[in-house]
């Protein structure tokens, strides 16, 4: 083997390792867009106007994706740890005294950017940034694996095969199940988002928007994370087969749908609270 091709292989291996160690950043674009579209439908007139005043032509659905679009940009490196929170393996709830990292996690970030958005005295640019980050983080905190464990980076280090492709368990939860569902039902993110929006009952709407405390949202995700780890896929009997079978996808898809709906309703409620009354 020539030195050059040897070097190539090393470079590719190092790059591959670096990429596999990069933490994924939440629901894929489709999940975040659905959450934004559901939230938009929840806004009262004043909040809708205020959102439009800040975002201009950018839809709330697109604003929900902004924090993933800027990943990799040096000036926004500080955003990376804010997409998630880690808890110890035996924890049943998150504890900000123990897991808080001086505010450098998702729970405190939601509180922080909500306050900035609320404050109409703040410069517009600062409030636009706050809205984009808040819209993204309210989505992420409802992805169970964004409230999970440091040792495997929220399932990013757990490699599985799903739909014939090797990826991380985190990525299956971010987008794999959603893609599988959309393909099977021939849905786009718009039509899946509309179906989710239309099936939210008044009782769910009331229940989900009752508490706007992100600690409670994180605790719900941690309960799900515990059940996800308790039901990790068995090694497949057939060599090369998927780790996640059709029945695994059917088992978890209602949870995925429920978390997308809940996040959408709560993002709407948070924005109504922050922007929905004239101040
Ligand atoms: Zn994220």
């Amino acid at each position: 083997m020539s030195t050059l091709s040897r070097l190539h292989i090393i470079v590719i291996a190092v790059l591959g390792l670096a990429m596999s160690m990069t933490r994924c950043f939440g629901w894929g674009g489709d999940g975040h867009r659905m959450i934004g579209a559901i939230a938009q439908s929840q806004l009262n007139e004043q909040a809708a106007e205020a959102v439009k005043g800040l975002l201009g032509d950018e839809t709330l659905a697109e604003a929900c994706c902004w924090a993933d679009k800027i990943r990799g940009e040096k000036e926004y490196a500080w955003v990376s740890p804010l997409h998630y929170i880690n808890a110890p393996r035996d924890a049943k709830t998150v504890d900000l005294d123990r897991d808080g990292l001086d505010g450098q996690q998702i729970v405190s970030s939601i509180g922080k950017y909500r306050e900035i958005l609320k404050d109409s005295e703040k410069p517009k640019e600062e409030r636009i940034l706050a809205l984009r980050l808040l819209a993204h983080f309210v989505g992420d905190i409802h992805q169970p694996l964004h409230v999970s464990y440091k040792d495997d980076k929220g399932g990013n280090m757990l490699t599985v095969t799903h739909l014939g492709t090797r990826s991380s368990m985190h990525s299956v939860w971010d987008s794999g199940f959603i893609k599988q569902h959309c393909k099977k039902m021939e849905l786009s993110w718009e039509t899946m988002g509309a179906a989710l929006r239309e099936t939210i009952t008044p009782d769910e709407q009331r229940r989900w928007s009752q508490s706007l405390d992100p600690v409670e949202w994180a605790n719900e995700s941690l309960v799900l994370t515990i059940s996800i780890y308790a039901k990790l896929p068995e090694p497949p009997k057939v060599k090369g087969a998927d780790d996640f079978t059709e029945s695994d996808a059917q088992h978890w898809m209602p949870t995925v749908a429920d978390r997308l709906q809940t996040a959408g309703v709560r993002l709407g409620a948070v924005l109504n609270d922050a922007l929905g009354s004239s101040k």
Side-chain angles (χ1 to χ4, degrees):
M1 192 187 294
S2 75
T3 315
L4 188 63
S5 46
R6 216 181 279 263
L7 187 67
H8 265 131
I9 288 167
I10 292 168
V11 167
I12 288 163
V14 169
L15 274 178
L17 185 66
M19 281 168 75
S20 72
M21 289 181 63
T22 307
R23 187 147 185 159
C24 276
F25 287 85
W27 300 113
D30 285 353
H32 279 291
R33 284 185 193 97
M34 285 185 238
I35 291 166
I38 294 169
Q40 180 69 45
S41 75
Q42 305 280 315
L43 298 184
N44 63 37
E45 209 175 307
Q46 264 169 336
E49 225 167 86
V51 166
K52 179 111 188 83
L54 289 169
L55 295 179
D57 289 337
E58 185 184 10
T59 62
L60 184 55
E62 283 311 316
C64 284
C65 302
W66 182 84
D68 278 341
K69 289 185 187 145
I70 49 100
R71 70 174 150 163
E73 288 183 30
K74 243 190 187 154
E75 66 172 303
Y76 292 114
W78 55 273
V79 179
S80 296
L82 309 183
H83 292 249
Y84 58 90
I85 187 166
N86 290 318
R89 283 271 178 180
D90 58 353
K92 298 283 182 281
T93 55
V94 299
D95 174 352
L96 289 185
D97 288 334
R98 180 194 59 207
D99 312 321
L101 303 174
D102 292 328
Q104 297 305 297
Q105 29 66 25
I106 193 165
V107 175
S108 304
S109 300
I110 288 174
K112 177 181 169 181
Y113 294 110
R114 194 152 78 189
E115 289 311 309
I116 294 174
L117 185 62
K118 255 185 202 179
D119 186 351
S120 55
E121 304 288 306
K122 292 269 185 205
K124 187 177 178 186
E125 286 309 308
E126 202 179 329
R127 293 176 78 217
I128 294 171
L129 176 73
L131 173 54
R132 285 166 160 172
L133 291 178
L134 184 63
H136 184 86
F137 296 155
V138 172
D140 275 355
I141 201 171
H142 287 82
Q143 205 280 47
L145 295 180
H146 279 246
V147 184
S148 61
Y149 311 122
K150 189 179 176 184
D151 56 78
D152 72 355
K153 295 180 185 268
N156 273 296
M157 306 298 279
L158 273 177
T159 306
V160 294
T161 304
H162 180 240
L163 302 177
T165 306
R166 299 288 281 165
S167 64
S168 70
M169 186 171 77
H170 189 103
S171 154
V172 173
W173 272 89
D174 269 351
S175 55
F177 286 142
I178 293 174
K179 276 191 190 136
Q180 186 172 11
H181 180 74
C182 282
K183 195 172 171 204
K184 191 171 137 196
M185 309 298 284
E186 296 184 350
L187 298 168
S188 63
W189 77 262
E190 284 101 334
T191 50
M192 182 178 167
L196 290 176
R197 189 185 70 232
E198 284 158 13
T199 50
I200 296 168
T201 67
D203 180 56
E204 285 170 335
Q205 175 137 4
R206 188 187 48 76
R207 209 157 26 88
W208 291 336
S209 45
Q210 229 162 27
S211 168
L212 298 187
D213 179 359
V215 174
E216 285 184 31
W217 307 345
N219 286 336
E220 293 167 1
S221 277
L222 186 58
V223 168
L224 290 169
T225 289
I226 291 166
S227 65
I228 290 165
Y229 276 83
K231 198 183 168 354
L232 282 181
E234 298 282 333
K237 292 188 178 68
V238 183
K239 198 168 177 272
D242 278 358
D243 291 295
F244 281 102
T245 61
E246 177 64 26
S247 80
D248 289 314
Q250 278 179 12
H251 176 84
W252 290 117
M253 198 52 216
T255 304
V256 171
D258 179 273
R259 295 307 275 169
L260 294 172
Q261 288 175 314
T262 310
V265 167
R266 285 174 174 162
L267 176 57
V270 163
L271 297 180
N272 282 334
D273 173 64
L275 303 167
S277 57
S278 46
K279 284 177 196 142

